[in-house]
Amino acid sequence: MIKFTKTAVALAIATLSLHASAGVFDDDEARRAILDLRAKVEALTKELNSRLDTKAEKTSTLDLIAQHDQTMQEIARLRGQVEVLQNEIEVTGKRQKDLYADLDKRLRALEPRQVEIDGQTASVEQSEQNAYDAAMQLFKEQNYEGAATALQNFVRRYPGSPYAANAQYMLGNAHYLQRDCKAAIVAQQAVVKNYPDSPKAADAMLNIASCQAELKAVNNAKKTLNDLIKNYPNTAAARTAKERLGGK
């Protein structure tokens, strides 16, 4: 058996006391170190969180700016499309208005027009009005041959036209001005025969008598003048016929 002395025991107790003291001192240092470390960790955590929050705010702001830019670009694109559509609508609207105006003009051109012929109102198609005006223009230009052809074509094409009697009468005048009395007589006789109620009928008979006189057919001229006075007594042509007969 091992025996311990007092000195050994005392020394052992002292040693234990030193070790115990050393152990206590190490625990306090460790606590302080842990507390310092914990404080540093908390400080770092706060700083990191702060930095993360700041970064998140910056990222959010940048995202909002990017979204705003995209929205503005989309608005600009849509605005451009709207402007293009508005321009197309305006162009289309103008074309439609022009089309409707042209169509209305053409329809109106096809509608009969009211004209006054020898003191009477009559309805005339635009086509016959144009044809008659063209023939009369040739007559005014003293193109009597062209006028005769145009007037004859007019009467053939529009025999029932309110202008037909005038056209037939002017046809006789066109022949007369070309010194063709025989053709003039035939044309004026057609006025009397086909349009006896026309104001031009009496004038046509007077012209017939004039041509007959130029052709030395005196008796025929007298008969025509007498028939004129009989059939159309209250006309200026009848008064002229009386003057001619009284002067012979």
Side-chain angles (χ1 to χ4, degrees), residues 142-155:
Q142 299 183 359
N143 182 0
Y144 301 123
E145 182 178 358
T149 300
L151 289 165
Q152 189 169 18
N153 290 337
F154 179 88
V155 174

Side-chain angles (χ1 to χ4, degrees), residues 168-189:
Q168 185 67 49
Y169 175 78
M170 295 304 296
L171 173 60
N173 289 344
H175 287 312
Y176 178 79
L177 291 170
Q178 295 179 83
R179 311 312 303 166
D180 188 350
C181 276
K182 290 183 179 180
I185 290 173
V186 173
Q188 301 293 11
Q189 285 175 337

Side-chain angles (χ1 to χ4, degrees), residues 98-230:
D98 293 341
L99 178 62
Y100 291 150
D102 181 66
L103 181 61
D104 183 67
K105 182 179 179 181
R106 293 186 180 187
L107 290 175
R108 289 181 180 276
L110 296 175
E111 293 178 354
R113 54 185 299 186
Q114 298 297 313
V115 296
E116 187 172 332
I117 303 174
D118 294 328
Q120 297 181 351
T121 302
S123 179
V124 179
E125 298 289 342
Q126 188 62 47
S127 59
E128 63 182 293
Q129 181 69 58
N130 294 340
Y132 181 78
D133 290 343
M136 291 304 299
Q137 184 61 36
L138 291 173
F139 191 92
K140 292 176 181 179
E141 294 172 355
Q142 299 183 359
N143 182 0
Y144 301 123
E145 182 178 358
T149 300
L151 289 165
Q152 189 169 18
N153 290 337
F154 179 88
V155 174
R156 288 175 180 174
R157 185 177 180 182
Y158 305 103
S161 171
Y163 285 118
N166 286 3
Q168 185 67 49
Y169 175 78
M170 295 304 296
L171 173 60
N173 289 344
H175 287 312
Y176 178 79
L177 291 170
Q178 295 179 83
R179 311 312 303 166
D180 188 350
C181 276
K182 290 183 179 180
I185 290 173
V186 173
Q188 301 293 11
Q189 285 175 337
V191 176
V192 179
K193 178 181 178 181
N194 298 327
Y195 313 101
D197 296 329
S198 170
K200 290 292 188 290
D203 294 330
M205 292 189 71
L206 189 61
N207 289 342
I208 291 171
S210 297
C211 285
Q212 289 171 336
E214 289 188 23
L215 293 173
K216 308 300 182 182
V218 178
N219 291 332
N220 289 337
K222 287 183 178 181
K223 182 177 184 307
T224 299
L225 292 172
N226 284 321
D227 289 341
L228 168 57
I229 296 170
K230 177 182 177 181

Side-chain angles (χ1 to χ4, degrees), residues 41-58:
V41 170
E42 290 179 356
L44 288 173
T45 301
K46 290 181 180 180
E47 183 178 357
L48 179 60
N49 288 335
S50 177
R51 290 182 179 182
L52 289 175
D53 291 341
T54 303
K55 184 177 180 181
E57 290 178 359
K58 289 181 179 180

Side-chain angles (χ1 to χ4, degrees), residues 8-42:
V9 173
L11 181 60
I13 292 172
T15 303
L16 289 173
S17 298
L18 288 173
H19 282 292
S21 300
V24 173
F25 177 79
D26 289 341
D27 287 342
D28 292 339
E29 291 292 333
R31 288 193 190 94
R32 285 196 295 271
I34 289 171
L35 291 174
D36 290 341
L37 180 60
R38 185 177 297 172
K40 290 180 180 180
V41 170
E42 290 179 356

